[in-house]
Amino acid sequence: LSCFLVFNIISNGAKKEDEQKNQRQFTVQQAPDRLLYIIGAYLSLMLFTPSFKGLPSTGKTPKEILTALETNGWNQISLSQSESFTFNKEGVSGMKLEKDRLQLLVVIGGDWRTHHIPEVCYDLAGYELKRSNTQLINETLSVRNLHFQKVAGQAYYWFQSKTQATDDYATKFWYQLVDFDQKWIQISVLDQEPNQVPKSEIKNIYQIINHHL
């Protein structure tokens, strides 16, 4: 049923775009229409696709990833009550660590619906978003850089699988949607320093996670 609904939504969108191509080239003003089709497809899948809670997301266990991070100077701290509730509800493993001025959150497991845009969590925690941009760390890794209103620090996040990493939620969503066996880890770093990107630490986290995928 979910496949039929999604196919119907996408087909209707494709027909509409074919008609419009005969009249004018696709413009930025048409983007909201396409967004509605994407949202419709997403909601249909959310309603009718069974959950895969508890799926192992990596070849290693969260404990092994935690041990590797602790070996590199990170110290585990307790999850908040809301974080614990959300992770238990979604059937994923979450760990929070700190190192100097940095705080790290790693979310492991679940299906394509588990991860979401971290901006939502930061906003609920009182970090009002000012702007965001893509920050290039090296030739293979880019992260989303979040800047906040009335808060000095910044945040960085990305999604990582065994073969690739992206700071774009839509890209990760698409890859996992077409391949349910593709497992991803969500990584978020909160930095109290507003003027310096912790590139070396981000690269180190990426390498540790990649080694244990």
Side-chain angles (χ1 to χ4, degrees):
L1 179 58
S2 63
C3 292
F4 172 77
L5 288 173
V6 174
F7 177 79
N8 186 43
I9 292 170
I10 295 175
S11 296
N12 289 338
K15 290 178 182 177
K16 182 175 181 180
E17 287 189 3
D18 288 339
E19 293 173 359
Q20 291 173 335
K21 284 178 181 178
N22 295 327
Q23 301 174 8
R24 64 184 184 280
Q25 187 178 6
F26 180 80
T27 62
V28 176
Q29 284 72 23
Q30 291 173 280
D33 291 332
R34 297 192 66 181
L35 181 59
L36 288 177
Y37 291 124
I38 294 172
I39 293 174
Y42 176 83
L43 292 177
S44 296
L45 286 167
M46 285 289 291
L47 289 172
F48 297 105
T49 303
S51 176
F52 294 94
K53 292 180 179 181
L55 281 175
S57 66
T58 67
K60 302 290 184 178
T61 66
K63 179 62 178 177
E64 289 173 294
I65 294 176
L66 173 61
T67 299
L69 290 168
E70 289 179 328
T71 301
N72 282 268
W74 291 90
N75 299 305
Q76 186 176 25
I77 57 178
S78 299
L79 296 169
S80 68
Q81 185 175 357
S82 62
E83 289 168 340
S84 296
F85 175 81
T86 300
F87 295 156
N88 288 333
K89 181 180 178 181
E90 295 180 343
V92 299
S93 297
M95 61 183 74
K96 188 159 64 174
L97 306 95
E98 62 181 8
K99 181 179 181 181
D100 300 326
R101 69 174 194 268
L102 304 176
Q103 188 176 100
L104 170 65
L105 183 64
V106 181
V107 181
I108 306 170
D111 60 20
W112 59 270
R113 296 173 296 181
T114 301
H115 301 151
H116 49 266
I117 301 175
E119 284 91 333
V120 176
C121 291
Y122 282 115
D123 184 66
L124 292 175
Y127 292 86
E128 183 181 355
L129 184 66
K130 180 179 181 181
R131 60 184 174 86
S132 68
N133 59 275
T134 295
Q135 177 71 51
L136 185 65
I137 302 301
N138 57 30
E139 63 277 4
T140 60
L141 177 64
S142 61
V143 301
R144 186 72 64 181
N145 186 187
L146 306 181
H147 306 263
F148 304 111
Q149 299 275 13
K150 303 177 182 179
V151 177
Q154 301 181 69
Y156 309 86
Y157 73 81
W158 68 96
F159 304 94
Q160 189 171 337
S161 73
K162 186 175 182 62
T163 58
Q164 58 193 315
T166 179
D167 69 315
D168 181 36
Y169 175 79
T171 298
K172 174 263 177 190
F173 175 85
W174 171 252
Y175 278 120
Q176 198 168 22
L177 186 60
V178 298
D179 183 3
F180 283 110
D181 292 329
Q182 196 172 132
K183 308 305 186 297
W184 290 77
I185 291 180
Q186 177 180 312
I187 303 100
S188 300
V189 178
L190 181 62
D191 187 1
Q192 302 300 324
E193 170 57 53
N195 301 315
Q196 183 179 354
V197 180
K199 287 188 176 183
S200 60
E201 286 293 350
I202 290 176
K203 286 189 290 186
N204 191 36
I205 294 168
Y206 168 80
Q207 292 169 352
I208 291 171
I209 298 296
N210 190 62
H211 179 73
H212 288 83
L213 280 171

